[in-house]
Amino acid sequence: MIDLTISDDIAEIVLNAPSKLNALDVEDLAELSEAYREAENAEVRALVLRGEGRGFCAGRDISSVDPAHDDVEGYLGHRATALFRQIAAFSAPTFAAVHGACLGVGLGLAIASDVVYVAEDAKIGSPFANLGATLDSGGHALFYERLGAHRTLDLIYTGEMMSGAEAVTAGLFSRSVPAEELVDFTMQRVRKVSQGATQAYLVSKALVGQLRDERAGLWDSMAAESAEQARLCSTADYAEGFSAFQEKRKPRFTGE
């Protein structure tokens, strides 16, 4: 469920499915895209995205996905990537307030936002080896650019999570604050920006976006991630990882 509120030139979009850690299925992606479209049509001067419950977004909702018939490239390569591009091109400064889990597509939502504030105890990383899958939604580009090859592969291989405070120290996101202060901290800054020189902000947004895309190859990386995720769909470990997740048991991988 996606909630949109517009007030005083500010749009607030809330991922509101706390029972599933705000994991997103195809319908959720469409609903989220429509919320951004409505906010853009309202000509807001700032936008904030956050999540209800224990986490920001745990990524894709795979609770009912059949790995044997999984259109993962359609989900990631078309729907999710189109949403990330929409967010990145939004015609006002965008903010994400991240707490708890920020994984997969949730990480992509943060990457696509202009400014990301995180709770000190947020969880950022790549647990997807436990599914026989790989990091997606631009994670490879972000991690490699900021962390280097060794730390990136360490996080991917081990499934280790970084805290929000560690992620900010590493240069992944903007600032970290105690979890109980996150929303107020973010909204205070969003309100200030919404009253600022919007056209000047958008020039900087475009220039920084161009530099980011050139340096990290963000969109090319997303396309490659989607294609490789689709290839992994045919592996035995992918099927085992999804089945284990849905059955709430530890996976038994064979390396095939």
PDB file of all heavy atoms in Angstrom, residues 21-37:
ATOM      1  N   LEU A  21       7.474  -5.779   5.649  1.00  0.00           N
ATOM      2  CA  LEU A  21       8.628  -4.877   5.606  1.00  0.00           C
ATOM      3  C   LEU A  21       8.630  -4.030   4.331  1.00  0.00           C
ATOM      4  O   LEU A  21       9.673  -3.727   3.770  1.00  0.00           O
ATOM      5  CB  LEU A  21       9.942  -5.657   5.724  1.00  0.00           C
ATOM      6  CG  LEU A  21      10.343  -6.094   7.133  1.00  0.00           C
ATOM      7  CD1 LEU A  21      11.599  -6.948   7.097  1.00  0.00           C
ATOM      8  CD2 LEU A  21      10.543  -4.906   8.052  1.00  0.00           C
ATOM      9  N   ASN A  22       7.425  -3.676   3.882  1.00  0.00           N
ATOM     10  CA  ASN A  22       7.237  -2.818   2.720  1.00  0.00           C
ATOM     11  C   ASN A  22       7.868  -3.379   1.445  1.00  0.00           C
ATOM     12  O   ASN A  22       8.254  -2.620   0.544  1.00  0.00           O
ATOM     13  CB  ASN A  22       7.791  -1.409   3.005  1.00  0.00           C
ATOM     14  CG  ASN A  22       7.066  -0.747   4.160  1.00  0.00           C
ATOM     15  OD1 ASN A  22       5.848  -0.792   4.266  1.00  0.00           O
ATOM     16  ND2 ASN A  22       7.825  -0.147   5.068  1.00  0.00           N
ATOM     17  N   ALA A  23       7.968  -4.709   1.369  1.00  0.00           N
ATOM     18  CA  ALA A  23       8.427  -5.339   0.136  1.00  0.00           C
ATOM     19  C   ALA A  23       7.422  -5.040  -0.981  1.00  0.00           C
ATOM     20  O   ALA A  23       6.216  -4.907  -0.735  1.00  0.00           O
ATOM     21  CB  ALA A  23       8.569  -6.843   0.337  1.00  0.00           C
ATOM     22  N   LEU A  24       7.928  -4.932  -2.208  1.00  0.00           N
ATOM     23  CA  LEU A  24       7.124  -4.428  -3.321  1.00  0.00           C
ATOM     24  C   LEU A  24       6.916  -5.485  -4.400  1.00  0.00           C
ATOM     25  O   LEU A  24       7.881  -6.066  -4.914  1.00  0.00           O
ATOM     26  CB  LEU A  24       7.821  -3.211  -3.946  1.00  0.00           C
ATOM     27  CG  LEU A  24       8.104  -2.043  -2.994  1.00  0.00           C
ATOM     28  CD1 LEU A  24       9.025  -1.033  -3.663  1.00  0.00           C
ATOM     29  CD2 LEU A  24       6.813  -1.384  -2.553  1.00  0.00           C
ATOM     30  N   ASP A  25       5.646  -5.718  -4.765  1.00  0.00           N
ATOM     31  CA  ASP A  25       5.360  -6.562  -5.927  1.00  0.00           C
ATOM     32  C   ASP A  25       5.099  -5.665  -7.133  1.00  0.00           C
ATOM     33  O   ASP A  25       5.270  -4.433  -7.068  1.00  0.00           O
ATOM     34  CB  ASP A  25       4.185  -7.511  -5.656  1.00  0.00           C
ATOM     35  CG  ASP A  25       2.899  -6.778  -5.291  1.00  0.00           C
ATOM     36  OD1 ASP A  25       2.761  -5.581  -5.617  1.00  0.00           O
ATOM     37  OD2 ASP A  25       2.011  -7.409  -4.675  1.00  0.00           O
ATOM     38  N   VAL A  26       4.703  -6.254  -8.259  1.00  0.00           N
ATOM     39  CA  VAL A  26       4.502  -5.491  -9.492  1.00  0.00           C
ATOM     40  C   VAL A  26       3.446  -4.408  -9.304  1.00  0.00           C
ATOM     41  O   VAL A  26       3.610  -3.262  -9.760  1.00  0.00           O
ATOM     42  CB  VAL A  26       4.109  -6.437 -10.643  1.00  0.00           C
ATOM     43  CG1 VAL A  26       3.686  -5.639 -11.872  1.00  0.00           C
ATOM     44  CG2 VAL A  26       5.278  -7.346 -11.000  1.00  0.00           C
ATOM     45  N   GLU A  27       2.357  -4.749  -8.634  1.00  0.00           N
ATOM     46  CA  GLU A  27       1.284  -3.776  -8.419  1.00  0.00           C
ATOM     47  C   GLU A  27       1.764  -2.618  -7.539  1.00  0.00           C
ATOM     48  O   GLU A  27       1.398  -1.468  -7.760  1.00  0.00           O
ATOM     49  CB  GLU A  27       0.066  -4.447  -7.783  1.00  0.00           C
ATOM     50  CG  GLU A  27      -0.685  -5.402  -8.708  1.00  0.00           C
ATOM     51  CD  GLU A  27       0.038  -6.713  -8.947  1.00  0.00           C
ATOM     52  OE1 GLU A  27       0.924  -7.072  -8.115  1.00  0.00           O
ATOM     53  OE2 GLU A  27      -0.274  -7.383  -9.932  1.00  0.00           O
ATOM     54  N   ASP A  28       2.609  -2.924  -6.557  1.00  0.00           N
ATOM     55  CA  ASP A  28       3.145  -1.870  -5.686  1.00  0.00           C
ATOM     56  C   ASP A  28       4.021  -0.909  -6.481  1.00  0.00           C
ATOM     57  O   ASP A  28       3.985   0.310  -6.263  1.00  0.00           O
ATOM     58  CB  ASP A  28       3.963  -2.475  -4.543  1.00  0.00           C
ATOM     59  CG  ASP A  28       3.125  -3.310  -3.594  1.00  0.00           C
ATOM     60  OD1 ASP A  28       1.978  -2.926  -3.319  1.00  0.00           O
ATOM     61  OD2 ASP A  28       3.627  -4.348  -3.126  1.00  0.00           O
ATOM     62  N   LEU A  29       4.825  -1.456  -7.401  1.00  0.00           N
ATOM     63  CA  LEU A  29       5.670  -0.596  -8.229  1.00  0.00           C
ATOM     64  C   LEU A  29       4.818   0.356  -9.061  1.00  0.00           C
ATOM     65  O   LEU A  29       5.139   1.549  -9.180  1.00  0.00           O
ATOM     66  CB  LEU A  29       6.552  -1.435  -9.162  1.00  0.00           C
ATOM     67  CG  LEU A  29       7.646  -2.288  -8.530  1.00  0.00           C
ATOM     68  CD1 LEU A  29       8.428  -3.017  -9.612  1.00  0.00           C
ATOM     69  CD2 LEU A  29       8.585  -1.451  -7.667  1.00  0.00           C
ATOM     70  N   ALA A  30       3.732  -0.164  -9.620  1.00  0.00           N
ATOM     71  CA  ALA A  30       2.841   0.683 -10.423  1.00  0.00           C
ATOM     72  C   ALA A  30       2.196   1.759  -9.559  1.00  0.00           C
ATOM     73  O   ALA A  30       2.076   2.925  -9.978  1.00  0.00           O
ATOM     74  CB  ALA A  30       1.774  -0.177 -11.094  1.00  0.00           C
ATOM     75  N   GLU A  31       1.781   1.385  -8.351  1.00  0.00           N
ATOM     76  CA  GLU A  31       1.149   2.345  -7.441  1.00  0.00           C
ATOM     77  C   GLU A  31       2.145   3.420  -7.010  1.00  0.00           C
ATOM     78  O   GLU A  31       1.802   4.610  -6.917  1.00  0.00           O
ATOM     79  CB  GLU A  31       0.597   1.605  -6.224  1.00  0.00           C
ATOM     80  CG  GLU A  31      -0.300   2.453  -5.340  1.00  0.00           C
ATOM     81  CD  GLU A  31      -0.903   1.662  -4.190  1.00  0.00           C
ATOM     82  OE1 GLU A  31      -0.800   0.415  -4.190  1.00  0.00           O
ATOM     83  OE2 GLU A  31      -1.464   2.306  -3.274  1.00  0.00           O
ATOM     84  N   LEU A  32       3.377   3.002  -6.775  1.00  0.00           N
ATOM     85  CA  LEU A  32       4.414   3.960  -6.385  1.00  0.00           C
ATOM     86  C   LEU A  32       4.730   4.919  -7.530  1.00  0.00           C
ATOM     87  O   LEU A  32       4.886   6.132  -7.320  1.00  0.00           O
ATOM     88  CB  LEU A  32       5.664   3.194  -5.948  1.00  0.00           C
ATOM     89  CG  LEU A  32       6.804   3.978  -5.305  1.00  0.00           C
ATOM     90  CD1 LEU A  32       6.315   4.830  -4.148  1.00  0.00           C
ATOM     91  CD2 LEU A  32       7.892   3.009  -4.834  1.00  0.00           C
ATOM     92  N   SER A  33       4.797   4.386  -8.735  1.00  0.00           N
ATOM     93  CA  SER A  33       5.021   5.230  -9.904  1.00  0.00           C
ATOM     94  C   SER A  33       3.912   6.264 -10.057  1.00  0.00           C
ATOM     95  O   SER A  33       4.171   7.443 -10.350  1.00  0.00           O
ATOM     96  CB  SER A  33       5.107   4.370 -11.164  1.00  0.00           C
ATOM     97  OG  SER A  33       5.228   5.162 -12.325  1.00  0.00           O
ATOM     98  N   GLU A  34       2.688   5.845  -9.837  1.00  0.00           N
ATOM     99  CA  GLU A  34       1.556   6.774  -9.947  1.00  0.00           C
ATOM    100  C   GLU A  34       1.631   7.856  -8.872  1.00  0.00           C
ATOM    101  O   GLU A  34       1.293   9.024  -9.127  1.00  0.00           O
ATOM    102  CB  GLU A  34       0.244   6.009  -9.827  1.00  0.00           C
ATOM    103  CG  GLU A  34      -1.012   6.878  -9.925  1.00  0.00           C
ATOM    104  CD  GLU A  34      -1.115   7.660 -11.212  1.00  0.00           C
ATOM    105  OE1 GLU A  34      -0.564   7.199 -12.251  1.00  0.00           O
ATOM    106  OE2 GLU A  34      -1.735   8.757 -11.195  1.00  0.00           O
ATOM    107  N   ALA A  35       2.091   7.509  -7.681  1.00  0.00           N
ATOM    108  CA  ALA A  35       2.229   8.504  -6.616  1.00  0.00           C
ATOM    109  C   ALA A  35       3.246   9.570  -7.012  1.00  0.00           C
ATOM    110  O   ALA A  35       3.015  10.775  -6.798  1.00  0.00           O
ATOM    111  CB  ALA A  35       2.637   7.825  -5.318  1.00  0.00           C
ATOM    112  N   TYR A  36       4.363   9.155  -7.571  1.00  0.00           N
ATOM    113  CA  TYR A  36       5.353  10.136  -8.039  1.00  0.00           C
ATOM    114  C   TYR A  36       4.772  10.988  -9.164  1.00  0.00           C
ATOM    115  O   TYR A  36       5.031  12.206  -9.232  1.00  0.00           O
ATOM    116  CB  TYR A  36       6.625   9.427  -8.502  1.00  0.00           C
ATOM    117  CG  TYR A  36       7.602   9.140  -7.382  1.00  0.00           C
ATOM    118  CD1 TYR A  36       7.520   7.960  -6.648  1.00  0.00           C
ATOM    119  CD2 TYR A  36       8.581  10.056  -7.037  1.00  0.00           C
ATOM    120  CE1 TYR A  36       8.401   7.695  -5.613  1.00  0.00           C
ATOM    121  CE2 TYR A  36       9.473   9.799  -6.008  1.00  0.00           C
ATOM    122  CZ  TYR A  36       9.381   8.622  -5.295  1.00  0.00           C
ATOM    123  OH  TYR A  36      10.249   8.371  -4.251  1.00  0.00           O
ATOM    124  N   ARG A  37       3.984  10.369 -10.031  1.00  0.00           N
ATOM    125  CA  ARG A  37       3.382  11.121 -11.141  1.00  0.00           C
ATOM    126  C   ARG A  37       2.404  12.171 -10.606  1.00  0.00           C
ATOM    127  O   ARG A  37       2.395  13.320 -11.064  1.00  0.00           O
ATOM    128  CB  ARG A  37       2.679  10.159 -12.093  1.00  0.00           C
ATOM    129  CG  ARG A  37       2.184  10.802 -13.394  1.00  0.00           C
ATOM    130  CD  ARG A  37       1.649   9.745 -14.348  1.00  0.00           C
ATOM    131  NE  ARG A  37       2.680   8.796 -14.722  1.00  0.00           N
ATOM    132  CZ  ARG A  37       2.734   7.526 -14.343  1.00  0.00           C
ATOM    133  NH1 ARG A  37       1.788   7.035 -13.538  1.00  0.00           N
ATOM    134  NH2 ARG A  37       3.711   6.734 -14.727  1.00  0.00           N
TER     135      ARG A  37
END
